[in-house]
Amino acid sequence: MSFNGLAEAPERGFSLITHWNQQYGLCHVHLADDGGYALASPPVGLIVFWWLGRPVAHRWCADGGSEPLAGQIDSHVLELIAAEEQRAGAAQLGASVVICTRDRPDELRRCLASLPQQTWQAREVIVVDNASIGRRTRDVAHEAGAIYLREERPGLDFARNTGARAASSPILAYTDDDVLLHPTWLERLVAAFDTPTVAAVTGLVLPAELATDAQEHFEKHWSFGRGYLRQDFDTARFAQHRDDVFPAWEIGAGASMAFRREIFERIGYFDERLDVGQAGCSGDSEFWYRVLAHGLSCRYEPRAVAFHVHRRTLDGLASQIHHYMRGHAVALLVQWERTGIAANRRQAWLGMPRWYAGRLWHRLRGLCRPQDRFLREEVLGYLSGLLFYLRHRREGS
């Protein structure tokens, strides 16, 4: 029997100490009384055995023995026990962390520095260098003790797939070089894989700073944040959008995502026409879309927190938005190509152009809205995405 953890609940006046017996699958919980929560008189403690999915409670007696505890176990105790069971089960999965980078060694160093602070340590950290110039990226990866791989083909999804093929753990967690990770990021991300149908998990991505006009604009109109409540995206929810486009981008952000390793063998790898270095973005959302189309689920877990450093300059933000819409156009057509769901093609060729025409008409009438600040970049990016797809579509599509 091994010591597994301590969870405090001061408002209830007790501490929860959990032990996990791997051989018999029992969760042993000792609830030590701190004087504010009376279990018995005189209270010494409580031990709960999970047997065939049901909790059986005993309380410790002053003479060192124990006796059955009658009545219902407090719901707060059960919540803490369930949380500790989830932690113990997920810990058995193990995770590889993959960071794809190009010519940003200083940002990479900061990201890597947040990994040793994690409450759960990754089995391996893989840095995929997407054709950086010079040796600094390799040196930073080696200094951090990470596995260093080089991918010469320019494109984020080439790099992501290189990392996926090299990883050896059941769970693959991805983050970006311009991200700082909360200490419980990996723990929470992996723990969310608590049912076999959950194939992908994303986390809450908050701004690391809001110091410039560009960063404030991005967070207000293009934020990675998806709220503070857990959400499950399953086949039933996906089926509701057979006649329109399922908004896969609402599932999360590629700066904080994880997958079961086996899913890549089942549905394929990231589409290498998408994302930075190729179309511009949306390799993550296209993959989530594919997960749902194959009858599996994605989960958004806001307790897995990461902090993203947004572009600091308006020129940098303008370029980012251009490539976002370029990638979005390609992703719609790739989703149609891979699934045959016609709503994606209809949205790409009719829905989005009609939407942009309406926004341009408002602009011509002198109605300037904050969200239209980069409308020119959006429209030109979207049109270039359509042309990109026509040049790179697969045979038979």
Side-chain angles (χ1 to χ4, degrees):
M1 198 182 301
S2 61
F3 183 76
N4 187 59
L6 172 66
E8 299 288 348
E11 73 282 358
R12 299 292 296 174
F14 60 81
S15 301
L16 184 69
I17 304 173
T18 304
H19 303 266
W20 180 257
N21 185 316
Q22 187 174 356
Q23 180 179 1
Y24 298 105
L26 299 176
C27 182
H28 303 260
V29 181
H30 173 221
L31 185 66
D33 176 54
D34 290 335
Y37 182 60
L39 291 169
S41 182
V44 178
L46 173 73
I47 190 162
V48 178
F49 301 91
W50 284 87
W51 182 255
L52 299 179
R54 298 181 63 184
V56 181
H58 288 246
R59 69 175 176 86
W60 290 110
C61 299
D63 60 4
S66 66
E67 63 183 22
L69 184 68
Q72 184 177 3
I73 303 172
D74 188 273
S75 61
H76 295 277
V77 177
L78 292 180
E79 289 174 5
L80 287 170
I81 294 170
E84 289 297 323
E85 273 202 303
Q86 186 183 61
R87 283 166 53 93
Q92 304 302 315
L93 291 175
S96 301
V97 174
V98 178
I99 305 172
C100 303
T101 185
R102 181 177 185 179
D103 288 323
R104 296 202 290 195
D106 294 332
E107 290 87 343
L108 176 63
R109 179 179 283 108
R110 286 194 292 268
C111 180
L112 288 170
S114 63
L115 285 171
Q117 311 304 319
Q118 294 291 301
T119 52
W120 282 357
Q121 292 300 302
R123 289 186 181 177
E124 59 190 3
V125 177
I126 301 173
V127 172
V128 184
D129 182 351
N130 197 198
S132 293
I133 299 172
R135 297 170 48 100
R136 289 192 64 202
T137 298
R138 179 175 60 182
D139 292 344
V140 168
H142 287 161
E143 288 169 8
I147 298 170
Y148 173 83
L149 303 174
R150 187 170 175 88
E151 171 54 67
E152 296 290 356
R153 295 170 295 176
L156 175 56
D157 287 320
F158 285 114
R160 283 173 172 166
N161 288 341
T162 296
R165 293 185 175 100
S168 61
S169 303
I171 301 295
L172 272 67
Y174 286 90
T175 190
D176 294 339
D177 55 14
D178 54 359
V179 169
L180 303 176
L181 303 169
H182 186 277
T184 62
W185 171 75
L186 186 59
E187 174 184 341
R188 298 298 188 182
L189 207 61
V190 177
F193 288 93
D194 57 4
T195 61
T197 58
V198 176
V201 174
T202 67
L204 172 63
V205 179
L206 297 172
E209 62 177 10
L210 291 174
T212 70
D213 183 25
Q215 291 176 330
E216 291 182 5
H217 182 90
F218 182 88
E219 187 59 26
K220 186 173 183 179
H221 300 289
W222 299 83
S223 175
F224 292 143
R226 297 295 180 261
Y228 301 97
L229 297 176
R230 172 186 277 192
Q231 295 188 62
D232 284 336
F233 301 83
D234 55 17
T235 53
R237 191 166 176 175
F238 183 74
Q240 294 174 358
H241 291 266
R242 296 296 295 189
D243 296 327
D244 59 6
V245 175
F246 180 84
W249 55 88
E250 294 182 358
I251 294 175
S256 175
M257 61 180 180
F259 304 93
R260 294 187 187 274
R261 188 178 186 280
E262 63 197 38
I263 199 64
F264 293 98
E265 301 300 328
R266 178 170 174 180
I267 71 173
Y269 288 80
F270 290 97
D271 194 299
E272 292 164 344
R273 293 169 291 180
L274 295 168
D275 260 311
V276 179
Q278 292 294 314
C281 76
S282 297
D284 44 19
S285 60
E286 186 279 323
F287 198 84
W288 301 326
Y289 190 97
R290 216 185 317 159
V291 166
L292 295 171
H294 279 77
L296 298 167
S297 299
C298 300
R299 170 170 288 167
Y300 170 66
E301 174 52 84
R303 294 183 299 171
V305 180
F307 301 91
H308 181 261
V309 181
H310 300 336
R311 304 287 178 90
R312 296 179 61 87
T313 68
L314 291 175
D315 287 344
L317 177 58
S319 175
Q320 183 179 13
I321 290 173
H322 173 93
H323 286 94
Y324 272 11
M325 296 319 301
R326 174 180 160 99
H328 180 63
V330 179
L332 287 170
L333 292 166
V334 168
Q335 286 166 190
W336 161 70
E337 175 189 293
R338 286 182 171 275
T339 66
I341 298 176
N344 294 287
R345 180 176 57 177
R346 188 166 58 247
Q347 178 74 351
W349 293 111
L350 297 175
M352 290 296 293
R354 186 181 299 122
W355 182 61
Y356 276 131
R359 292 176 63 188
L360 287 168
W361 173 245
H362 283 293
R363 171 68 68 85
L364 291 173
R365 293 173 60 198
L367 300 176
C368 297
R369 301 176 298 177
Q371 59 265 40
D372 292 334
R373 183 174 185 175
F374 296 96
L375 182 57
R376 177 178 180 274
E377 287 77 12
E378 288 186 53
V379 172
L380 293 179
Y382 191 82
L383 292 175
S384 70
L386 296 178
L387 294 175
F388 179 93
Y389 176 78
L390 291 175
R391 293 195 302 268
H392 296 85
R393 59 182 170 179
R394 293 179 176 172
E395 294 183 7
S397 61

